Amino acid sequence: MTPLYVPPSWGQLPKLHVYIDETGDRGFSQRSRAQSPFFAMTALLVPQEEEWDVKATAGGLRSIVHNGPPQARLKPLHWVEHFKAKRADRRQMAAVMLSRMRGVMVIHVIAHKETMEQDGGMRQSKELFYNYTTRLLLERVALAAQEWPGGQRLAVVRLGSVKHMDHSASESHLDWVRNGNCETFNVPWGLIKWPPTWESTERDGIQLADLHAGILNAALSGDPQDAACARNLLACRHQLRRSATGRTLGYGVKVIGDRSFVTDRAWWPDWQRL
């Protein structure tokens, strides 16, 4: 394997902090597909000069969600635990506070299990499925770092750790991809500080990525003809990565499988609109 050549000057570029979390599950059993017809990964991209906003937003939401003594406010935010459907007020607060973060970008990769290509490997291996989804997300992160307003950035990527996953194997697979062993269409892999790291939810940015992923889950779990279920998702639409002409599909939103799983929903026209 020939190591990827990275110009030394890239290491001196301004940093782009990238936080990634997931939603849904990676199973393909009949039960898994019924309970979770999709799996998605979400990246929150934050320029280093706006990193303070990550701490302020996460800390502010924790102070609202957690009661009790001050030390209780250090408990990490979790969408499933703290933003249940019956707490519509909290969900709205989270969307409003996330939407007010300045200069950030959001990227989603959504896999619709039922219409994915009949790849036996991914259907039989949760690890392979996870690695492929992560690869597609990191490709878009690298391209966003290349095209960042004001000039290139070096992306520092941190992913939420996943139970029962060998993340060293994920790193090895991504390193194999990064070094040109499969076609990734001129993705500037050198603009991602290598290797990425998998961390706990103690990190504020990963907590916020989890909330973005949870808001996406709520929209995708609703009736396709119900626009109201995506109200919180639409509040953050201005943060989606877009092409130079304003397109989101393939840029801020990548669908694995039949894209109509997303694009036929009542709220899709509004989600892609600037």
Side-chain angles (χ1 to χ4, degrees):
M1 181 186 299
T2 304
L4 176 72
Y5 173 72
V6 180
S9 60
W10 285 12
Q12 304 304 314
L13 290 171
K15 301 299 186 293
L16 180 65
H17 295 279
V18 181
Y19 304 103
I20 295 175
D21 212 354
E22 61 181 82
T23 187
D25 73 52
R26 292 165 287 122
F28 277 90
S29 69
Q30 186 173 356
R31 180 180 179 183
S32 289
R33 283 181 291 160
Q35 292 182 338
S36 179
F38 62 89
F39 171 72
M41 297 186 74
T42 295
L44 173 64
L45 289 65
V46 185
Q48 64 179 3
E49 63 271 21
E50 302 295 343
E51 182 68 11
W52 65 271
D53 207 357
V54 172
K55 299 181 183 300
T57 302
L61 282 168
R62 283 195 299 267
S63 70
I64 292 170
V65 167
H66 298 315
N67 296 315
Q71 59 266 30
R73 297 177 186 177
L74 299 177
K75 184 179 179 181
L77 297 165
H78 292 285
W79 177 263
V80 172
E81 181 179 356
H82 301 126
F83 297 86
K84 300 178 186 296
K86 64 182 180 181
R87 297 307 305 262
D89 57 333
R90 286 187 180 178
R91 290 188 171 193
Q92 184 177 17
M93 276 188 284
V96 168
M97 292 180 71
L98 290 171
S99 73
R100 290 176 178 172
M101 293 180 69
R102 302 182 305 178
V104 307
M105 192 175 290
V106 176
I107 303 173
H108 302 285
V109 175
I110 304 163
H112 182 222
K113 298 177 189 176
E114 200 64 42
T115 58
M116 283 176 56
E117 292 183 6
Q118 299 295 318
D119 187 313
M122 282 200 288
R123 289 176 175 273
Q124 295 174 22
S125 170
K126 293 182 179 180
E127 289 74 18
L128 187 60
F129 183 26
Y130 174 86
N131 292 343
Y132 180 67
T133 308
T134 304
R135 167 195 155 184
L136 294 182
L137 186 57
L138 292 189
E139 287 178 6
R140 284 153 182 80
V141 166
L143 289 165
Q146 182 181 54
E147 301 159 359
W148 198 262
Q152 291 183 339
R153 298 257 176 167
L154 181 66
V156 181
V157 177
R158 301 177 176 96
L159 303 96
S161 60
V162 182
K163 290 181 180 179
H164 313 303
M165 275 284 294
D166 181 359
H167 293 307
S168 63
S170 296
E171 180 187 325
S172 295
H173 172 76
L174 292 168
D175 202 42
W176 179 83
V177 171
R178 178 176 180 264
N179 281 293
N181 291 284
C182 63
E183 180 57 68
T184 56
F185 305 103
N186 299 315
V187 170
W189 287 104
L191 288 175
I192 294 180
K193 185 178 183 294
W194 209 257
T197 59
W198 282 263
E199 302 185 8
S200 74
T201 55
E202 297 293 327
R203 189 173 286 277
D204 289 334
I206 291 176
Q207 294 173 45
L208 298 187
D210 174 64
L211 299 190
H212 272 289
I215 288 170
L216 174 69
N217 188 308
L220 291 175
S221 297
D223 187 297
Q225 301 309 311
D226 177 19
C229 65
R231 184 179 296 112
N232 294 323
L233 185 69
L234 296 179
C236 301
R237 68 170 177 251
H238 58 287
Q239 296 171 336
L240 279 176
R241 176 177 175 249
R242 298 173 185 272
S243 72
T245 58
R247 287 186 59 207
T248 58
L249 197 61
Y251 293 85
V253 181
K254 168 65 178 175
V255 182
I256 307 172
D258 188 341
R259 64 180 59 179
S260 68
F261 173 70
V262 177
T263 61
D264 281 359
R265 292 176 183 266
W267 44 262
W268 169 255
D270 286 332
W271 196 32
Q272 66 173 341
R273 178 173 53 82
L274 279 169

